[in-house]
């Protein structure tokens, strides 16, 4: 298992960051993710909860969905790259598919389930990437209600769909 940040990691993380920026440009939450295995990107995505009116399309979930169905042995060789520490839902998906390694852009703006992931022997590498931190800080400051909704906190306003 790789325990350092490699040149390939840097390349794949930059792709996740591009996804986060694409999400922001679409009017969504700027969180991006890439699922990579054997030197190739299998799936990429970004948070599309707002854009799609979805309850579950966080960046990691979008990347997994876009990767399509994969066999267990493929997931078990993958690294999941995400710009923000994964929430309980996204951590659960990584645990379900036994993804052994997660590279996280930052956890200053949101601390997800890193402790649980580590307890389950998932290798976690947190970059504390300054560009990513600033991107999230700006979004949270400018859109506190959307941010609260995205992380399951009371936002003061409910949105229901028929």
């Amino acid at each position: 298992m790789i325990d350092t940040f490699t040149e390939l990691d840097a390349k794949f993380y930059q792709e996740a960051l591009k996804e986060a920026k694409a999400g922001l440009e679409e009017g969504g939450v700027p969180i991006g993710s890439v699922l990579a295995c054997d030197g190739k990107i299998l799936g990429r995505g970004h948070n599309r909860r707002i854009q799609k009116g979805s309850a579950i399309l966080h960046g990691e979930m979008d990347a997994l969905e876009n990767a399509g169905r994969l066999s267990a042995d493929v997931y078990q060789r993958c690294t999941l790259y995400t710009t923000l520490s994964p929430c309980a839902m996204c951590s659960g998906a990584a645990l379900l598919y036994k993804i052994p390694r997660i590279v996280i852009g930052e956890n200053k703006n949101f601390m997800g389930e890193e402790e649980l992931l580590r307890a389950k022997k998932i290798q976690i590498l947190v970059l504390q990437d300054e560009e990513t931190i600033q991107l999230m800080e700006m979004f949270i400051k400018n859109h506190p209600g959307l941010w609260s909704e995205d992380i399951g906190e009371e936002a003061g306003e409910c949105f229901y769909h028929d």
Side-chain angles (χ1 to χ4, degrees):
M1 181 59 58
I2 301 167
D3 62 355
T4 59
F5 189 67
T6 68
E7 193 173 309
L8 197 54
D9 286 328
K11 175 184 170 186
F12 292 150
Y13 182 74
Q14 284 304 309
E15 292 301 311
L17 185 55
K18 285 180 191 175
E19 287 291 329
K21 292 174 182 177
L24 183 63
E25 288 175 16
E26 294 171 3
V29 181
I31 301 169
S33 186
V34 163
L35 181 69
C37 184
D38 301 333
K40 288 177 27 184
I41 293 175
L42 302 181
R44 60 175 62 234
H46 52 271
N47 187 306
R48 295 178 197 252
R49 288 187 70 253
I50 296 165
Q51 301 92 310
K52 299 264 185 179
S54 171
I56 63 168
L57 273 183
H58 281 185
E60 300 91 337
M61 302 300 278
D62 194 38
L64 289 168
E65 178 70 15
N66 290 330
R69 289 176 55 197
L70 301 171
S71 63
D73 69 305
V74 173
Y75 287 116
Q76 292 167 19
R77 295 192 318 268
C78 286
T79 296
L80 183 65
Y81 298 85
T82 180
T83 57
L84 191 65
S85 184
C87 72
M89 174 177 65
C90 298
S91 294
L95 289 170
L96 176 69
Y97 293 116
K98 297 178 180 64
I99 297 170
R101 184 170 183 260
I102 303 175
V103 175
I104 299 167
E106 68 108 342
N107 64 9
K108 288 185 175 185
N109 286 296
F110 178 79
M111 175 59 77
E113 298 298 324
E114 293 176 33
E115 187 176 315
L116 171 64
L117 293 166
R118 285 187 180 101
K120 296 289 189 174
K121 307 297 184 220
I122 305 294
Q123 182 189 1
I124 303 295
L125 181 59
V126 181
L127 305 178
Q128 300 303 21
D129 178 69
E130 196 56 43
E131 182 180 5
T132 308
I133 292 167
Q134 290 176 8
L135 183 68
M136 282 308 302
E137 282 176 353
M138 178 192 69
F139 180 81
I140 293 166
K141 179 182 176 187
N142 294 335
H143 306 282
L146 291 177
W147 174 243
S148 293
E149 176 190 333
D150 198 67
I151 59 173
E153 291 183 355
E154 200 169 312
E157 186 174 348
C158 253
F159 299 96
Y160 293 101
H161 297 281
D162 293 334

